[in-house]
Amino acid sequence: MSTTPFSYIVFIFFTLFISLYIMERSKSDCKNGLEFIEEVTRNVDEVQKKVLAEILFQNAHVEYLQKVIPVITYQDIQRHINRIINGDKSPFLCSQPITELLTSSGTSGGESKLIPTTEGEFGRRFQLTKLQMSVISQTVPDYGNGKAMFFMFIRSEEKTPVGLTARSLLTSIFMSPYFNNIRIQNDYTSPSATFRCPDTYQSMYSQMLCGLSQNQQVISVGSFFPTSFIRAIRFLEKHWSLVCKDVRTGTVDASITDPSVREAVMEILKPDPKLADFIEAECTKDSWKGIITRLWPNAKYVNVTITGTMSQYIPTLDYYSNSLPLVSTLYAASECSFGINLNLFCKPSEVAYTLIPTMGYFEFLPNQGIDGVVNSISMPKTLNKEEQQQLVDLADVKIGQDYELVVTTYSGLYRYRVGDVLRVAGYKNNAPQFNFLCRGNVVLSIDADHTNEVELQNAMRNASANLFPFDARVTEYTSYVNNATVPSHYVLFWELSVNGSAPIPPSVFEDCCLTIEESLNFFYCQGRAYEKSIGPLEIRVVEIGTFDKLMDYCVSLGASMSQYKTPLCVKFEPLIDLLNSSVVSSYFSPMCPKWVPGYRKWNNTN
């Protein structure tokens, strides 16, 4: 009679014990998280006063606070950031040591902003993530019994001249030891090695392979941004046969060369011909509509941010997911973590974030509706005394009013204009809930790129110089993001005035496309040249008189003739159709813009 080895019995018992322990601990954490939310949202004003007192007490002796503190933008403190970059460790912004610089996709002079952060700030970020998980656990009954196929990717990081790390917020989170604790309670299909792999193809392929091999266990799918998730699905459209082969044989394709990735995937992968047949049958059907619910039949929602400019991807997500609920869970930025969505399964247009008052000290600059907001913050300026007196505390905002967010953090930002435009939508107890309206002054955005008005105008000015030898100029222009291509790309509509007799060669317009791209920000060039998440920029030349027709149409819809200004970006489909109906020629950028890793020229910061 065969006997089971004692060591194996011990292993099974230990594994079961750990599983039960984690489950009970997760339940306890969920309960504590929900109780914490109830407490701080009931006592918003009191908590905010305590937070401000703590920040000012901890940093009472720093150089920056030895004066009256105005409302500021990044440009106002850029010289202080440069001191950090060049090795000044004195506490001139914050009493705590600066542990790294987080890159913000908002740009300053075409370069990424660099936001100082501390170890304590990361503790607050992960506290917000745990609160978010408590809300998900309460809302999704099977949350603790399934897995999340959540695509994560790291970006390149750099070292300042004195060795301080500069990297994106998400890269910092994924590489942090804190993240391992999050993984215990939020079981992802992707092993750490797969999303920490710097090679985008290998990372994408291995995460997709792991997600498909565990398809029956997946209860949610997604990524932080819809562009990454849509890109993953379109990656599968292109490479499903290779992935299918690996599922069938239990092997990893030779194109995956990173040893740590191969080892991590092989710990999960087992030969499964039946699953491979199923995947092949679904991927070879005529339509990919609903492919997510077909391949991952137990998926209950898509976890992805669809507020602000990201709402443009809702139709594509609905197509691939068979209209699964689109869930935006939290609101955070490089500067600070802000809040969470307590009503996860609301309509995308109704997403409202409850700002958690322990994250930082929040103030709000009133604005006169969305048009007024964009106009007022498109060119950040120092506020005068009267404007600064208009600032409103978190507890005093009004329902239906639009505000620009101003934040004071534990890590050295004081009365800092984040640039986000929010609208008060309701309350959780005494805590306001906000709709995210837009990133101030963002004209075009596909992924992490946020191209603003000034950048676009400067790029246009640079590109127009290519037309001067032909005695031609751009008289009117506008733009939009074309999401019908894979990947999405910027489109500019140009109306020209040509006085020269010589025709303008196509190569000149192609040079114009490339000039524009090379004039845009770091994140655009990274998306184009390195990550391939952005397609070649396109210029469409339209007939003379097209922009007059555009104005006439807008006036027919109620715009004021005397106040009409050509929009820098169009999103309304009838306007795009009108412009497209008048296109006489189109041109694409012939190559990728120049791009090298690194967020700035460090030697230019003195």
Side-chain angles (χ1 to χ4, degrees):
M1 183 176 69
S2 63
T3 58
T4 303
F6 178 73
S7 59
Y8 181 73
I9 296 175
V10 171
F11 172 76
I12 294 297
F13 176 79
F14 179 75
T15 302
L16 180 61
F17 172 78
I18 291 297
S19 299
L20 292 173
Y21 171 76
I22 292 174
M23 189 179 300
E24 289 304 313
R25 181 179 173 184
S26 297
K27 290 179 180 178
S28 175
D29 287 346
C30 174
K31 180 182 177 183
N32 292 339
L34 295 175
E35 290 175 350
F36 178 85
I37 293 169
E38 285 294 323
E39 179 182 351
V40 296
T41 56
R42 279 197 301 266
N43 304 293
V44 171
D45 197 30
E46 179 184 335
V47 173
Q48 280 279 275
K49 288 177 181 176
K50 181 180 178 182
V51 166
L52 180 59
E54 287 178 350
I55 292 173
L56 295 179
F57 177 77
Q58 290 178 14
N59 299 292
H61 302 295
V62 304
E63 176 186 320
Y64 186 82
L65 290 182
Q66 307 312 308
K67 61 178 182 177
V68 176
I69 306 303
V71 177
I72 61 167
T73 64
Y74 184 79
Q75 285 72 21
D76 296 315
I77 58 168
Q78 191 163 9
R79 61 188 179 89
H80 298 292
I81 305 298
N82 291 344
R83 289 172 61 182
I84 297 172
I85 290 169
N86 290 304
D88 190 337
K89 295 184 179 180
S90 59
F92 53 87
L93 276 182
C94 178
S95 62
Q96 300 300 308
I98 302 301
T99 53
E100 64 182 302
L101 297 168
L102 297 178
T103 61
S104 171
S105 53
T107 58
S108 176
E111 295 178 333
S112 171
K113 295 178 182 177
L114 293 164
I115 307 298
T117 194
T118 63
E119 186 67 25
E121 193 64 35
F122 270 99
R124 277 178 285 278
R125 292 187 186 279
F126 282 94
Q127 181 195 24
L128 190 73
T129 303
K130 291 181 72 175
L131 294 178
Q132 167 224 331
M133 291 165 59
S134 297
V135 175
I136 297 176
S137 296
Q138 181 190 44
T139 309
V140 184
D142 296 333
Y143 178 67
N145 301 322
K147 294 192 175 188
M149 185 182 72
F150 197 77
F151 289 91
M152 297 168 277
F153 304 95
I154 63 170
R155 295 181 180 271
S156 60
E157 60 182 54
E158 284 294 308
K159 296 287 186 181
T160 69
V162 294
L164 199 61
T165 301
R167 56 189 177 184
S168 71
L169 172 61
L170 293 181
T171 298
S172 184
I173 289 173
F174 296 153
M175 300 300 288
S176 167
Y178 285 104
F179 193 71
N180 294 328
N181 296 329
I182 297 297
R183 283 185 55 81
I184 292 174
Q185 300 172 57
N186 191 8
D187 198 3
Y188 297 114
T189 58
S190 301
S192 298
T194 61
F195 59 77
R196 287 175 175 166
C197 175
D199 185 287
T200 306
Y201 176 89
Q202 294 189 60
S203 179
M204 181 78 79
Y205 186 95
S206 56
Q207 290 190 67
M208 181 61 74
L209 179 57
C210 291
L212 281 168
S213 67
Q214 304 169 80
N215 74 320
Q216 293 295 325
Q217 301 174 60
V218 171
I219 62 169
S220 70
V221 299
S223 187
F224 277 99
F225 296 110
T227 46
S228 298
F229 184 63
I230 292 169
R231 188 178 170 201
I233 299 302
R234 289 173 173 168
F235 180 92
L236 181 62
E237 284 189 76
K238 186 176 180 180
H239 300 287
W240 68 263
S241 59
L242 277 179
V243 177
C244 202
K245 174 181 69 67
D246 286 350
V247 171
R248 187 180 304 281
T249 59
T251 58
V252 181
D253 189 73
S255 63
I256 309 304
T257 58
D258 188 312
S260 63
V261 173
R262 294 186 67 87
E263 181 181 352
V265 175
M266 286 304 297
E267 289 182 4
I268 294 173
L269 207 57
K270 298 291 186 295
D272 195 336
K274 184 178 179 181
L275 176 59
D277 290 341
F278 168 73
I279 295 170
E280 182 176 3
E282 293 299 332
C283 291
T284 53
K285 288 181 178 178
D286 291 339
S287 172
W288 272 55
K289 183 177 181 180
I291 192 67
I292 293 169
T293 51
R294 285 153 48 190
L295 291 178
W296 295 276
N298 297 315
K300 292 178 170 56
Y301 62 95
V302 181
N303 185 351
V304 67
T305 301
I306 39 80
T307 51
T309 59
M310 294 300 159
S311 62
Q312 64 187 299
Y313 299 104
I314 291 174
T316 305
L317 292 167
D318 285 342
Y319 175 82
Y320 283 127
S321 72
N322 206 23
S323 297
L324 278 177
L326 304 177
V327 174
S328 294
T329 55
L330 56 78
Y331 171 34
S334 301
E335 293 85 353
C336 181
S337 291
F338 303 118
I340 54 178
N341 178 10
L342 299 178
N343 185 13
L344 295 179
F345 289 97
C346 64
K347 296 177 182 178
S349 60
E350 296 174 356
V351 171
Y353 299 103
T354 303
L355 267 59
I356 302 300
T358 55
M359 295 294 110
Y361 183 69
F362 304 124
E363 296 176 278
F364 300 85
L365 184 62
N367 286 276
Q368 303 303 315
I370 189 65
D371 292 333
V373 168
V374 175
N375 290 336
S376 67
I377 66 176
S378 61
M379 292 291 290
K381 60 184 179 66
T382 301
L383 301 179
N384 59 40
K385 184 177 180 181
E386 182 180 348
E387 289 172 322
Q388 297 207 35
Q389 290 175 344
Q390 294 177 4
L391 284 172
V392 177
D393 293 335
L394 178 60
D396 297 323
V397 296
K398 305 298 182 185
I399 283 278
Q401 175 69 57
D402 297 346
Y403 297 92
E404 182 191 347
L405 179 59
V406 177
V407 65
T408 296
T409 72
Y410 286 87
S411 54
L413 298 179
Y414 307 98
R415 310 193 90 179
Y416 179 90
R417 297 175 71 176
V418 177
D420 291 350
V421 183
L422 312 176
R423 176 172 295 159
V424 185
Y427 288 89
K428 165 65 177 177
N429 295 325
N430 296 316
Q433 297 176 312
F434 295 88
N435 302 132
F436 180 95
L437 298 184
C438 67
R439 180 74 173 172
N441 192 31
V442 171
V443 178
L444 297 168
S445 179
I446 292 175
D447 193 2
D449 56 300
H450 292 309
T451 299
N452 63 39
E453 179 180 332
V454 175
E455 279 184 285
L456 185 58
Q457 289 174 337
N458 287 338
M460 278 293 303
R461 184 162 46 249
N462 295 339
S464 297
N466 293 314
L467 302 177
F468 293 165
F470 300 90
D471 197 11
R473 62 187 178 87
V474 180
T475 56
E476 295 266 24
Y477 75 92
T478 190
S479 62
Y480 88 109
V481 172
N482 186 347
N483 292 313
T485 59
V486 182
S488 302
H489 70 285
Y490 289 8
V491 175
L492 273 71
F493 294 98
W494 281 11
E495 186 171 319
L496 303 177
S497 171
V498 182
N499 296 319
S501 57
I504 304 174
S507 60
V508 172
F509 288 108
E510 292 174 355
D511 289 344
C512 289
C513 292
L514 183 59
T515 300
I516 292 171
E517 292 197 301
E518 292 190 333
S519 301
L520 298 180
N521 58 72
F522 173 90
F523 285 99
Y524 177 89
C525 294
Q526 178 173 265
R528 272 280 286 128
Y530 178 65
E531 296 179 344
K532 310 298 183 185
S533 59
I534 301 172
L537 181 140
E538 180 184 4
I539 290 174
R540 298 178 185 174
V541 178
V542 298
E543 299 170 346
I544 294 175
T546 297
F547 280 82
D548 288 337
K549 295 178 183 177
L550 185 70
M551 180 181 68
D552 291 341
Y553 187 84
C554 291
V555 170
S556 74
L557 296 178
S560 169
M561 174 73 79
S562 59
Q563 295 181 318
Y564 174 82
K565 292 183 292 186
T566 301
L568 286 180
C569 177
V570 291
K571 299 180 181 179
F572 188 41
E573 283 296 330
L575 298 184
I576 297 172
D577 292 342
L578 186 154
L579 291 162
N580 279 327
S581 68
S582 300
V583 171
V584 295
S585 58
S586 65
Y587 310 91
F588 288 88
S589 184
M591 64 185 73
C592 291
K594 295 183 181 71
W595 175 85
V596 292
Y599 296 104
R600 58 169 64 233
K601 296 178 181 177
W602 304 114
N603 58 357
N604 286 345
T605 60
N606 293 320

